[in-house]
Amino acid sequence: PTRPSGIRRKLTPPSQGHTALIDKEYLWKGKPLKSLTIGLRKTGGRNKDGRITVRHRGGGNKRRYRIIDFLRAPPHHEGVIMNVVERIEYDPNRSALIALLRCTTPGLGKAFSYIICPLGIKIGQELESSRSQQVNMKDGNAMPLRFVQVGTLVHNIEMTPGKGAQLCRSAGAAAMLLEKDEATGLALLRMQSKEQRYVKLNCVATIGRVSNPEHMNQSLGKAGRNRWKGKRPSVRGVAMNPVDHPHGGGEGKKSGRGVSPWGWNTKGYKTVRKKNPLIRLPRWKAKL
């Protein structure tokens, strides 16, 4: 169930023949665990003054946010935490699937938690996590990068120890551990974008790849499916009037200059700021 396949529609109507969606047949069909969810209030892209600050947002189905455990182990906990996979669920707030874990280690004060579901785990499987020692090198187990073997694929990676995972959290994502340096206390990771980045050895990461890698092959098939997700149409600048966009106005068809509605260059404009000492090979240079 961690690698749902894509479903192709029959040619009825022919206009939706190219639709390809993720098969959710083997996922949990009930509601999420209520104690691990909170309500989400829609903004429609407006700020506190009611002005649109993010375009193309509005409408969409109601959602509840699933509270995800990005720590996997409390910052000052010693020893190994054991969990059992109860079920695998769909999450409308992210591209990856989520897994409900039942904690079997006494004294932690929480019975259940949601995590980003790793690829290849099964219902009933035991998962281990620790901040102080090495655990089995199996998909879904979490431990500091100090104990992970070089060449291993990892996901759900912390950037600051104890802050929670921030890297490689979307569907199918993973980074490869290239080297570890005990002298500097840093580990070198090759990210999905081919960027090479240093992370502290004390940062916790999960072994394996994120579930649902077929997400990238989805084809929604119709505009209405985007509206269900809360995405409104995007109007081209050349179809507007001059008062609305720099590309607007003119007689007949024409092409734009390649700027945003506020005049910022969008083609070839360098956005890289000052160098980050933790980035050994930036992604723009890795793709040359």
Side-chain angles (χ1 to χ4, degrees), residues 4-288:
S5 57
I7 301 177
R8 283 279 179 184
R9 279 183 172 272
K10 295 180 180 178
L11 294 176
T12 52
S15 61
Q16 291 191 40
H18 63 285
T19 304
L21 302 174
I22 293 300
D23 184 6
K24 302 184 180 71
E25 180 183 354
Y26 301 104
L27 302 181
W28 173 252
K29 294 180 173 60
K31 293 185 176 181
L33 196 65
K34 192 169 183 179
S35 61
L36 292 177
T37 64
I38 55 175
L40 276 181
R41 188 185 292 267
K42 292 189 180 295
T43 65
R46 273 82 170 167
N47 65 3
K48 64 182 179 61
D49 300 319
R51 294 193 173 94
I52 295 177
T53 53
V54 181
R55 301 185 300 159
H56 317 137
R57 285 191 185 180
N61 289 330
K62 282 187 178 180
R63 301 177 184 176
R64 286 189 69 82
Y65 179 75
R66 281 74 166 165
I67 301 170
I68 307 295
D69 179 16
F70 289 115
L71 287 170
R72 291 297 301 271
H76 304 295
H77 183 271
E78 297 289 334
V80 179
I81 299 175
M82 304 296 295
N83 294 280
V84 176
V85 180
E86 287 286 304
R87 62 197 191 207
I88 296 171
E89 301 183 14
Y90 167 77
D91 187 352
N93 305 298
R94 63 191 73 250
S95 57
L97 304 177
I98 59 175
L100 181 67
L101 302 187
R102 175 172 53 84
C103 182
T104 58
T105 302
L108 285 179
K110 59 175 184 177
F112 294 97
S113 61
Y114 278 123
I115 65 165
I116 300 289
C117 182
L119 183 66
I121 67 169
K122 298 178 180 178
I123 297 173
Q125 179 177 334
E126 276 197 336
L127 298 183
E128 305 172 356
S129 56
S130 175
R131 285 190 176 269
S132 58
Q133 62 190 73
Q134 186 172 7
V135 297
N136 290 328
M137 291 285 296
K138 292 182 179 178
D139 290 350
N141 290 348
M143 56 184 154
L145 289 168
R146 172 174 276 108
F147 304 119
V148 180
Q149 295 177 5
V150 173
T152 305
L153 289 179
V154 292
H155 67 277
N156 233 30
I157 308 158
E158 290 183 332
M159 295 177 71
T160 304
K163 189 177 181 181
Q166 294 176 272
L167 301 173
C168 294
R169 300 187 339 190
S170 59
M176 180 177 284
L177 180 60
L178 297 181
E179 63 182 50
K180 297 186 291 185
D181 189 351
E182 288 288 348
T184 60
L186 296 175
L188 182 63
L189 296 170
R190 185 172 67 217
M191 312 303 293
Q192 194 92 350
S193 62
K194 302 297 184 282
E195 174 182 288
Q196 294 182 16
R197 169 185 283 270
Y198 287 108
V199 177
K200 290 184 178 179
L201 285 173
N202 292 335
C203 291
V204 170
T206 306
I207 306 297
R209 186 180 290 275
V210 182
S211 56
N212 198 18
E214 294 298 319
H215 172 80
M216 61 180 291
N217 297 323
Q218 280 194 115
S219 177
L220 298 184
K222 59 181 185 179
R225 196 164 273 115
N226 254 333
R227 299 307 298 264
W228 300 342
K229 296 166 75 173
K231 298 180 181 179
R232 298 186 66 239
S234 174
V235 180
R236 295 169 300 129
V238 292
M240 298 182 187
N241 291 321
V243 70
D244 300 315
H245 200 284
H247 295 170
E251 296 290 331
K253 290 188 176 181
K254 64 183 183 63
S255 61
R257 304 198 311 266
V259 296
S260 74
W262 305 277
W264 307 331
N265 289 326
T266 56
K267 296 179 178 178
Y269 181 66
K270 290 186 178 180
T271 59
V272 178
R273 293 169 289 183
K274 62 181 181 180
K275 287 187 177 181
N276 185 343
L278 293 179
I279 297 180
R280 177 168 152 181
L281 181 67
R283 57 188 175 184
W284 63 268
K285 191 173 287 188
K287 294 178 179 179
L288 293 178

